[in-house]
Amino acid sequence: MKPIPYFAFRDFPEGSEAAVQAALLAAVQGKHYILGRELAAFEEEYARYLGAAAALGVGNGYDALVLALKAVGVGPGDEVVVPAHTFIATVNAVLQVGATPVLVEPDRHTYTITAATVAPAITSKTKAILPVHLYGQVCAMEPLLQLANSHQLRIVEDAAQAHGAMYKNRRAGTFGDAAAFSFYPTKNLGALGDAGAVVTNSAAVADFVRMYRNYGEAQKYQSEMVGVNSRLDELQAAVLRVKLRHLDYLNAARQRLAAIYLNELHGIGDLILPYTAPGCGHVYHIFNIRTKQRDALQQWLRGQAIQTAIHYPVPVHLQPAYRFLGYGAGDFPVAEELADTSLSLPLFPGLLPEEQERVVEAVRRFFRYE
Ligand SMILES: *Cc1c(COP(=O)(O)O)cnc(C)c1O
């Protein structure tokens, strides 16, 4: 039996791999590897694509979160409200700027935080809300923005899984004071190495990040602040420019695959399929299903050479390194249930119809559906 990978890099759309290689070669021959024309062009094109005022390339998605938080003024003594159910980078970034992450439950249907789950966590120390557009679904931003407004809080979006996703005719990453994107290779828009971007409509945030990512220099050898080195290099920018042209097509391919899973797996066993809230676009970075028999199902699929993944097996508050935050088992029942029951099925642009059919059949057989 031919293995079906959880994720694979495939030449999809056909010819895009050659276009990426050509762009890489041209960037190599450009002989200007840091803060050059490719980066400036990508920043311009990505901001235009999203409908934002500015995009600033940085070293990776984690740095994008850290710089965005710093740029909106989050620091020691501040609290930032974050989802208990997310990739560890979200919470780590808050700690990195010296602030305190305050974890809240995700909504039990969308798995993202909402105004209802965030509101009770707001205190006099709260400085910002950090919504994560988890798995590719945009959070219900309107109520979150209203909540932030009424408490004078900043919003930093973690859009690392939601490139191109829409909420009410606007793209993820354009709602808050700043947004962080990761271009980790397997993301919906992925580089061939580490890369990230801060996106913002605020000139002040853009100016801060532009300096801070480059040692705080306004111009060469003139430091306006104590910054860091976190830059998106020319080779990755050249790759991203090519891939950006295909992003809508790639997301549409993901959505088509998701629609097939949603249709074919509906009503099987105790399966819970992804729920998309009205107005909240979904670009299916991850196709998450849930069952009480998660481990057995994963084992069964493995036996048929079908690879799956778990996002995420241990919630942030139960990670050994984060015990000092003072949370314990039982504090976030929804997040804990998601960790125990979630399974991510293979879904990536270029997954073949016969491969997806095999996944569907295998899941149905597990539940003795046929
Ligand atoms: C991938 C990811 C990040 C971090 O991105 P890196 O580029 O790997 O640093 C942050 N948040 C979420 C939700 C992610 O999925």
Side-chain angles (χ1 to χ4, degrees), residues 60-62 65 86-87 89-90 132 134 158 160-161 182-184 187 194-195 312:
N60 52 64
Y62 172 74
L65 281 167
T86 183
F87 179 53
T90 318
V132 180
L134 197 75
D158 183 337
Q161 302 187 355
S182 163
F183 306 119
Y184 184 83
K187 299 283 157 97
D194 276 316
Y312 299 90

Side-chain angles (χ1 to χ4, degrees), residues 297-327:
L297 175 58
Q298 184 174 40
Q299 192 66 36
W300 165 265
L301 292 173
R302 194 179 294 137
Q304 289 164 72
I306 296 169
Q307 258 185 33
T308 56
I310 297 174
H311 300 93
Y312 299 90
V314 181
V316 175
H317 67 289
L318 301 180
Q319 295 279 355
Y322 292 77
R323 224 168 262 154
F324 74 98
L325 292 175
Y327 300 108

Side-chain angles (χ1 to χ4, degrees), residues 263-281:
N263 201 37
E264 300 283 324
L265 298 177
H266 178 79
I268 309 275
D270 71 338
L271 277 188
I272 299 172
L273 302 179
Y275 167 74
T276 306
C280 302

